[in-house]
Each structure stands twice: as C-alpha cells, then as structure tokens.
Amino acid sequence: MSDLLRLFFVIAFLTLGLAAYFLVVSTLFPNRVARTKSAIQSTPARSFGIGLVNFVFFAVIAIALFSGAEKSGPFIKTLLTIPALLITALLATMLSFGLAGMTSLIGERILPELTSWRQSILGTVCLCFACAPPFVGWFLLFPYAGLVGIGAFILGLFQREPKS
Amino acid sequence: MNHLSDELLNEYLDNALSNRASVEEHLAQCMDCAARLTALQTLFAEIESLPEVTLSRDLAAPVMLKIKGASLSPRWLTLTIVLQTALALIAIIITAPLVKQFAASSVSVLQPPSLTEVFIRLQSQWVLWLDMLSQLRMPVMPEIPIIEVSSLYFLLTLAGVSMVWLVGNGLLLRNQIKQ
C-alpha cells in the first residue's frame, strides 16, 4: 500500500512540476507552441514520422558520442561529451515544445470553453496520469505523444507566418 | 454633375433601390460612376470566390456557455429558494432551544483537545510525512551502454542512420520545404 502511495506522490509531484513547466514554456514562447499545436492538429501522422526519424537519428548520434567518450582519454572525452550533451539538450528542447503543444491541444479538446492556461494544466494532468499505467502508458502512449510532439515542433519550424 | 455616392452604388448592387432607373440613367452618362460600379462588382465577385476558411478554434461553445450562464434563473426557482430559506430560518428558530439543551449536556462529556495536544499531533503527522517522503526512491537513470563494435560497423551504422534521416526528412518535409 505504501509503495502505491509513494508512486502516487511521485506522479502527483511530477504532474505539478510539469504543469508549471509547460505553462511557462507556453507563456514564454507562445508562437512556437501555437505552431507545434497546429501541426499536431493538422498532420499528426506526418509529425509522428518526422519525430521518429529525427529521434532515432539524434539518439544514435548521442549514444555513439557518449559511448566513444567513455572509452577515450580526458581530452577526447571532453571533445565528444560536449556535442553529445548539445544533442541531448536539443532533443529535450524539441520534446518540451512538442509536449507543451500536445498538452494544450488535449486540454482544448477536452474542455474547449476553458482559458488557454487552464487547458494547458488540464492537458498536462491528463497526459501525465494517462502515461503512468505500466506498459501501455510507458511504451505506447508516452513514446507516441513524445514523437508526435518532436515531429510537430520540426514541422512548425517550416510553417510560414500567415500573410496579414 | 453630382456623382453617385458609394452607399447608393452598394444599394444598386444589392437591388435595394426603388429608383433604379435614375441611377442607370446616370451610369449611362457618367464614366467615372460606371467605372466605380465595375470596380465594386469585381470586388464582390472576388470576395465571393474566396474559399471558406474554418476557424482554428471554435468559439461557439464558450460563447453559448457564457450566454447560458448570464441568463437569469426562472421566477419559480427564485421563489422556491426564498421559500426554502424562510422555512430553514423558522426551523432553526424552533429547534434552537433544543439544540442548546443538547449541546450543553454533550459539551460536559466532550473534552476539546488542548492546543499543545493539537500541536503535538500535527508535529507527529508532519514527521510521518517527512519520513515517508524521505523513503522515496527516484528512478535511476539508465547507464549509457558502451557498445563494443568495430570502427567499420560503427561508421556503417552512422552512415545508415544518416541516410534514413536524410531520406525520411526529405520525404516527410517535402511539401513544407517547397512552400
């Protein structure tokens, strides 16, 4: 029972932190998040494909660099670790924007009458708890949401500003 | 010669004029007004030929909700609430002496906890919470696997992944890049 309670607390704290995180991301970069959200809405399958291709590529490169750094001397280790960390940071950034757009879209679809920040919080809570169940949440829903998010972020980079 | 106003020309186009004949007579003589009419006709034709644009966010639901929320509650509901409040007040007044009597007999039995006891209980609960939280185990980050492969395989893998990346992105982002 106490393990279950502990798990619940971990998920609850994580949800709280992530809700604030996505809210801040949406507030600081509203255009970027809006474009990501629009890409998820209009082309989810393409977003997933682009997300998968790019995630695999960058993850392989990062693992290869980290792995190479482990086996090398101090100088080469530093030389390889820096790009590896940069690639990891790039992946984390893409994932952050992607999930911020995803949570906003989920919130909007569940309760369209709410304000945008409430929709973002609602989306984060729903996504966090939906990704918590073992196996289906960990290995299906979360990778899907993450990869669609990454792909939508990349697609959003190529979207043009609407002509005024 | 007085030219026709924009308002008159718009009404002429909307077939909302009673004296169309006089306007048509003026248009036959005045090239300026005829040109303005043609320009207006072209503009309206262009507007009508524009494709239907769907809104990215449907505002109908929130607006309808606000309208419903703003509408006044029906009269019978207001009267019922007033009646219920009055009945509740009467009930309180009638039962007040009985409640007071019951409370007087019960309070002597019940001993409210002292402030110190409350503090001690709160503190023990707080310690229990802290103890429980201190036992939280954060998930251990997986170690990066050290892949023992030859340089040739390593380079081939990198080349393969790069090819997949280039082809995949090229195919999937084709339309976006063209735009």
Side-chain angles (χ1 to χ4, degrees):
Chain A
M1 185 63 196
S2 65
D3 281 344
L4 208 65
L5 204 67
R6 253 179 248 157
L7 191 69
F8 177 79
F9 273 119
V10 169
I11 294 168
F13 282 130
L14 202 67
T15 306
L16 204 68
L18 283 174
Y21 178 69
F22 292 139
L23 207 59
V24 169
V25 170
S26 307
T27 314
L28 289 179
F29 310 99
N31 289 338
R32 188 58 48 213
V33 174
R35 282 183 184 197
T36 308
K37 187 174 149 184
S38 155
I40 298 170
Q41 209 165 9
S42 53
T43 51
R46 180 174 286 200
S47 300
F48 179 77
I50 292 171
L52 184 69
V53 165
N54 283 281
F55 178 77
V56 168
F57 174 72
F58 286 117
V60 165
I61 299 282
I63 289 173
L65 287 171
F66 274 126
S67 179
E70 284 291 320
K71 290 186 285 185
S72 311
F75 178 69
I76 303 290
K77 189 174 184 174
T78 315
L79 214 63
L80 291 178
T81 308
I82 290 169
L85 284 174
L86 284 175
I87 290 170
T88 314
L90 178 74
L91 274 175
T93 308
M94 291 197 288
L95 194 66
S96 298
F97 279 104
L99 289 179
M102 179 68 90
T103 53
S104 179
L105 183 70
I106 290 170
E108 189 184 301
R109 283 188 179 169
I110 294 172
L111 285 174
E113 69 270 18
L114 290 183
T115 50
S116 58
W117 67 273
R118 282 183 181 163
Q119 283 173 350
S120 178
I121 291 175
L122 175 72
T124 310
V125 171
C126 287
L127 193 65
C128 276
F129 279 92
C131 291
F135 305 110
V136 278
W138 302 344
F139 303 122
L140 286 179
L141 187 64
F142 181 66
Y144 173 75
L147 292 176
V148 169
I150 290 174
F153 173 74
I154 295 166
L155 270 174
L157 292 175
F158 290 95
Q159 273 181 1
R160 301 175 85 187
E161 285 276 358
K163 284 176 187 169
S164 54
Chain B
M1 185 193 288
N2 283 334
H3 290 296
L4 297 173
S5 66
D6 284 342
E7 201 176 31
L8 210 61
L9 284 174
N10 274 305
E11 283 177 0
Y12 175 76
L13 279 174
D14 293 340
N15 287 326
L17 279 179
S18 55
N19 55 340
R20 284 179 68 84
S22 64
V23 172
E24 277 166 4
E25 195 182 330
H26 178 89
L27 286 169
Q29 293 167 1
C30 179
M31 295 303 286
D32 284 348
C33 289
R36 278 167 57 215
L37 181 74
T38 314
L40 274 175
Q41 278 173 326
T42 315
L43 178 69
F44 285 127
E46 276 177 12
I47 290 170
E48 277 175 15
S49 68
L50 286 174
E52 285 278 328
V53 180
T54 51
L55 293 172
S56 60
R57 190 180 167 196
D58 188 11
L59 291 171
V63 169
M64 288 308 291
L65 207 77
K66 291 261 178 194
I67 291 168
K68 276 181 195 166
S71 67
L72 291 169
S73 48
R75 195 175 166 76
W76 63 266
L77 189 66
T78 317
L79 284 174
T80 313
I81 291 167
V82 171
L83 197 70
Q84 279 179 331
T85 314
L87 283 171
L89 279 172
I90 292 167
I92 288 170
I93 291 164
I94 291 170
T95 54
L98 293 170
V99 171
K100 196 180 172 186
Q101 200 180 348
F102 176 74
S105 61
S106 304
V107 166
S108 58
V109 180
L110 290 171
Q111 283 294 326
S114 67
L115 204 63
T116 324
E117 264 182 63
V118 172
F119 273 127
I120 289 168
R121 276 186 203 170
L122 276 174
Q123 202 179 11
S124 59
Q125 278 296 327
W126 179 244
V127 169
L128 266 174
W129 278 89
L130 282 181
D131 185 46
M132 209 166 77
L133 284 176
S134 68
Q135 287 175 11
L136 275 177
R137 296 273 182 276
M138 290 307 283
V140 182
M141 292 296 281
E143 280 184 25
I144 302 292
I146 299 170
I147 307 157
E148 293 291 340
V149 287
S150 69
S151 303
L152 182 68
Y153 279 122
F154 180 68
L155 285 174
L156 279 175
T157 311
L158 271 186
V161 170
S162 303
M163 280 300 290
V164 170
W165 183 70
L166 279 171
V167 173
N169 275 338
L171 284 174
L172 291 163
L173 290 169
R174 193 177 53 214
N175 293 342
Q176 261 70 20
I177 293 167
K178 267 184 193 170
Q179 282 170 15

